Amino acid sequence: MKKEKNNSANYKIDMKLMIKQLFELRKGPTPWGKAFCAGLCAGLPVLLGILMDNFELGLLGGVGGFTYLYVFNETYASRIKKIFLVALTISFLVGLGTIVAPYPWLVILIIGLIGFAGTFIFGVFKVPGPAAIFFILSFAITTSMPINPTQAPLRFIVVLSSGLFAWALSMAGWFKNPHRAEIKAVEDIYLSLGAFCEAIGSKDMNNKRQLALEALRRGEETLSSGVKLKRNKMQFDRLVLLNQYANDLFLELIEVSFYRSGKVPQEIIHRIGELNKFISCKNGKEDKIDIKRLFEEPASEYSRLMDGIYAIEGLINMPLEDIEAEVAKSVRPSRRMRLVKAMDRDSIVSLSIIMCMIP
């Protein structure tokens, strides 16, 4: 009797847990905005097909909606080329699948080539996205449709139209915030620097340092692929300078982690952790950082680190009109110029070589 009661109680607990998990909303890796737009790109062509009394063609148009699944947090300059090429490729493969559908062995060969080429290109160029899977799916869908090679041009145009709609939707945010990806990349850099600073002196320090280094690398790639627009030139320049200052701050944190065995003071951790919240300010007049100096003693062991933080805070507070002058001051010499200066007889490099040659 007791065993039956226990089983009944366990059954009720399992049912409650199952119902709770069924209606639980979990934070997934895909943002809601992207999920909605992907559904719109796939569903709108189907709806148009129903309204035009051609459901089959509407379903085929939904294949072009796969294009939006290749949208990630890249710059709009990269996205405008990438998504257009994806839309064109998916449309071409739909047309090709329609033409070669009568030849099964050729279909198998082409599917293998699509998988190889797509995976290779996405891997070599480190392009984020689902690689070749939706290219293969687009090609395979048309090979299973009624065989009619004469329909290839029509199917190509239908899929390309829905793909271009996905391309236009992916570029819609450019009008509101053309440097959204660059801002996000710089925010991630400062967020990772804050986590690294907090981890100094702990077992997780090496992992956080590697994550900060990866964020710096991604930020450099993102900013280098961005385009400096005339109407947002100074905002873009601020992001470039913030990335440059972040590299300097990272080097200071590396030095602190090597020469200090204990934790960094909480005031500094909090100061760095707050920096990423101000990156997206569109001008220097709102949401300014209150630059309150810490460790006023000149001989403080963290003085260089704090100087780097003050410089970043000053740059964030700086009006956009003054950014151009700051860029001119912060221009670093090219590698060629550094080599030329190193060959000068008065340079420290030349003097070091001469000193080594003296017996």
Side-chain angles (χ1 to χ4, degrees):
M1 188 72 177
K2 188 181 286 186
K3 187 175 180 181
E4 289 180 1
K5 286 183 178 180
N6 289 336
N7 289 337
S8 178
N10 291 335
Y11 176 76
K12 288 180 180 179
I13 292 171
D14 291 341
M15 283 299 296
K16 286 180 180 179
L17 184 62
M18 188 183 300
I19 294 171
K20 183 180 178 182
Q21 290 177 344
L22 183 64
F23 292 98
E24 183 180 2
L25 293 176
R26 298 184 180 180
K27 187 178 180 181
T30 304
W32 285 102
K34 180 179 177 180
F36 173 78
C37 290
L40 183 64
C41 291
L44 188 61
V46 178
L47 179 61
L48 290 175
I50 293 172
L51 294 176
M52 295 171 65
D53 199 24
N54 197 330
F55 182 63
E56 181 182 343
L57 212 57
L59 280 176
L60 185 64
V63 173
F66 292 158
T67 302
Y68 199 87
L69 299 175
Y70 288 84
V71 174
F72 283 82
N73 191 43
E74 61 268 315
T75 62
Y76 284 109
S78 298
R79 183 179 296 181
I80 193 172
K81 295 177 287 186
K82 171 189 167 185
I83 303 303
F84 178 77
L85 287 174
V86 169
L88 193 63
T89 304
I90 288 177
S91 308
F92 170 75
L93 291 175
V94 166
L96 182 63
T98 304
I99 294 170
V100 302
Y103 314 104
W105 288 105
L106 189 56
V107 168
I108 295 170
L109 177 63
I110 292 175
I111 286 178
L113 289 174
I114 294 169
F116 168 76
T119 305
F120 180 77
I121 291 171
F122 274 73
V124 169
F125 295 102
K126 297 180 181 178
V127 180
I133 183 168
F134 289 104
F135 296 148
I136 294 173
L137 186 59
S138 302
F139 178 80
I141 285 173
T142 48
T143 59
S144 61
M145 292 175 69
I147 297 175
N148 189 355
T150 60
Q151 288 284 309
L154 176 62
R155 292 176 182 178
F156 172 82
I157 291 171
V158 168
V159 176
L160 182 61
S161 299
S162 58
L164 290 178
F165 171 72
W167 173 77
L169 191 62
S170 71
M171 295 299 298
W174 181 85
F175 296 98
K176 183 180 179 181
N177 189 1
H179 295 304
R180 183 178 62 181
E182 293 93 325
I183 291 171
K184 179 68 167 59
V186 176
E187 285 177 344
D188 289 344
I189 288 172
Y190 280 95
L191 194 63
S192 64
L193 289 176
F196 174 39
C197 181
E198 189 174 7
I200 290 176
S202 68
K203 295 180 180 178
D204 201 29
M205 183 182 71
N206 291 334
N207 181 42
K208 296 297 183 183
R209 181 180 61 203
Q210 186 62 31
L211 290 175
L213 190 61
E214 280 294 309
L216 286 166
R217 182 189 62 78
R218 288 195 303 270
E220 194 72 35
E221 289 178 355
T222 301
L223 288 168
S224 63
S225 65
V227 174
K228 189 188 295 187
L229 303 170
K230 189 175 181 180
R231 67 187 178 97
N232 294 92
K233 177 179 178 295
M234 289 179 287
Q235 185 187 6
F236 185 81
D237 285 338
R238 190 204 294 276
L239 293 171
V240 172
L241 286 174
L242 284 169
N243 179 65
Q244 183 176 307
Y245 284 19
N247 280 277
D248 296 336
L249 185 62
F250 177 70
L251 293 177
E252 291 297 334
L253 288 172
I254 290 287
E255 187 173 345
V256 169
S257 67
F258 278 148
Y259 294 104
R260 305 285 182 269
S261 57
K263 285 272 190 181
V264 175
Q266 191 61 39
E267 295 89 342
I268 297 181
I269 294 173
H270 176 74
R271 201 69 173 254
I272 297 177
E274 290 290 306
L275 290 174
N276 74 295
K277 298 178 181 179
F278 297 89
I279 302 300
S280 60
C281 295
K282 294 184 179 179
N283 56 59
K285 299 177 182 178
E286 58 184 9
D287 297 329
K288 283 190 175 183
I289 300 177
D290 181 18
I291 304 179
K292 181 182 178 183
R293 300 190 73 84
L294 302 173
F295 307 107
E296 294 292 344
E297 300 82 358
S300 171
E301 57 185 349
Y302 298 105
S303 59
R304 288 179 58 184
L305 180 60
M306 288 307 303
D307 286 342
I309 296 172
Y310 296 144
I312 293 167
E313 291 175 339
L315 179 62
I316 291 173
N317 285 346
M318 186 179 295
L320 288 177
E321 297 78 22
D322 300 335
I323 292 294
E324 192 170 349
E326 189 66 22
V327 169
K329 288 192 298 183
S330 302
V331 172
R332 297 181 176 179
S334 63
R335 293 177 182 175
R336 178 177 171 275
M337 288 305 297
R338 278 183 274 180
L339 283 172
V340 171
K341 287 183 179 180
M343 293 177 186
D344 188 87
R345 64 179 182 177
D346 295 325
S347 73
I348 188 66
V349 177
S350 300
L351 291 173
S352 301
I353 295 172
I354 293 170
M355 290 297 292
C356 291
M357 293 174 66
I358 297 175

